[in-house]
Amino acid sequence: MKTVLFALFFPFLLLGSTLSTHITFSGEPSVALRTIHNAFNTIGYRLDIRNFSAQSGSGEISAIAVGNKAFNGAALAQNFKEENIRIEKSRLENQELELVLDANNAKWNILALGSDDGSELKRVNSPQWFQVNETQHIRITPPYVGKWYPDVAVLNEKMDVLYAYRSMEPKEEWEFELPQGSFYLMVSNTQGMKLLKEGMWIESISGR
């Protein structure tokens, strides 16, 4: 039976607060962990994991949620919904947050690269993630020749790595076909994303 206490949905707590957080979830552990992280990050809270235990189809997370702005429970609930995560139970009291989540259908809510589509990244300083499909051919180009050291990975829906490439030498661009079962694409730079001050272009081309 679904039980959600209304305290979670108050749009405020304390500015710059920390929350002792305990989460029990059902679902694929690696996908659940990533999507739960993303939901907290979206509302401006970092989830510092203190303990993570998992088995097939379920798990528990003990963490400290650290934010630099007011905690917004309604926004967190909305982000869980967008990640296809259902809140089954919740409690927020004395800066302690407890959640029971159904993450069986979780899908990380990130930008999707469609066929014959592209995305321009400007002044990024952290790895970038995209949703992709296995019919795509990917081309990644830096703004200037010799400015990018490819660090890319392709994962399936369960976050298993299907393809990975890291280079210690600069490349003008990098092209590859997505393997069968592809769902997530991670794009980074071996020498650090801060080197890409002028951004980069990620292009998806079908039918190669």
Side-chain angles (χ1 to χ4, degrees):
M1 181 175 68
K2 182 179 179 181
T3 303
V4 178
L5 303 182
F6 290 106
L8 177 61
F9 300 105
F10 280 29
F12 58 86
L13 188 63
L14 295 175
L15 281 171
S17 66
T18 62
L19 293 173
S20 177
T21 305
H22 182 264
I23 300 171
T24 303
F25 65 85
S26 59
E28 176 63 33
S30 57
V31 177
L33 182 61
R34 175 65 71 176
T35 52
I36 290 168
H37 257 294
N38 195 54
F40 275 89
N41 288 342
T42 302
I43 66 167
Y45 271 70
R46 185 181 73 253
L47 206 59
D48 289 339
I49 304 295
R50 301 302 171 89
N51 186 53
F52 175 64
S53 61
Q55 53 188 356
S56 179
S58 65
E60 292 188 34
I61 301 169
S62 294
I64 302 296
V66 182
N68 56 11
K69 61 181 180 180
F71 177 75
N72 188 328
L76 180 63
Q78 178 60 34
N79 285 320
F80 278 137
K81 182 179 179 180
E82 292 174 359
E83 305 280 359
N84 283 353
I85 296 175
R86 188 175 75 249
I87 301 175
E88 295 188 326
K89 294 182 181 179
S90 68
R91 184 180 69 86
L92 175 60
E93 184 178 356
N94 298 326
Q95 292 186 287
E96 294 186 358
L97 175 63
E98 295 185 9
L99 294 168
V100 177
L101 305 175
D102 180 349
N104 285 289
N105 297 314
K107 294 289 188 297
W108 194 11
N109 184 33
I110 52 178
L111 178 67
L113 283 180
S115 299
D116 300 312
D117 195 8
S119 178
E120 183 179 8
L121 306 180
K122 294 183 178 180
R123 298 182 180 277
V124 294
N125 57 16
S126 62
Q128 302 296 297
W129 289 83
F130 302 90
Q131 184 177 323
V132 294
N133 66 66
E134 61 193 54
T135 64
Q136 295 172 319
H137 175 93
I138 300 294
R139 179 192 295 127
I140 306 173
T141 309
Y144 300 110
V145 173
K147 294 292 185 179
W148 185 48
Y149 298 77
D151 181 5
V152 299
V154 179
L155 303 88
N156 64 16
E157 287 188 81
K158 294 183 178 181
M159 303 296 286
D160 299 320
V161 176
L162 303 179
Y163 167 86
Y165 178 80
R166 301 187 80 232
S167 175
M168 301 305 294
E169 300 293 332
K171 303 291 183 180
E172 294 184 13
E173 63 179 21
W174 189 248
E175 297 189 27
F176 57 95
E177 296 287 342
L178 295 175
Q180 185 177 2
S182 298
F183 198 83
Y184 297 111
L185 167 67
M186 186 278 292
V187 179
S188 188
N189 189 63
T190 304
Q191 301 298 324
M193 294 297 286
K194 289 184 179 180
L195 293 178
L196 298 179
K197 295 179 180 179
E198 303 301 326
M200 63 195 309
W201 176 256
I202 302 174
E203 184 177 15
S204 170
I205 305 172
S206 63
R208 286 297 182 98

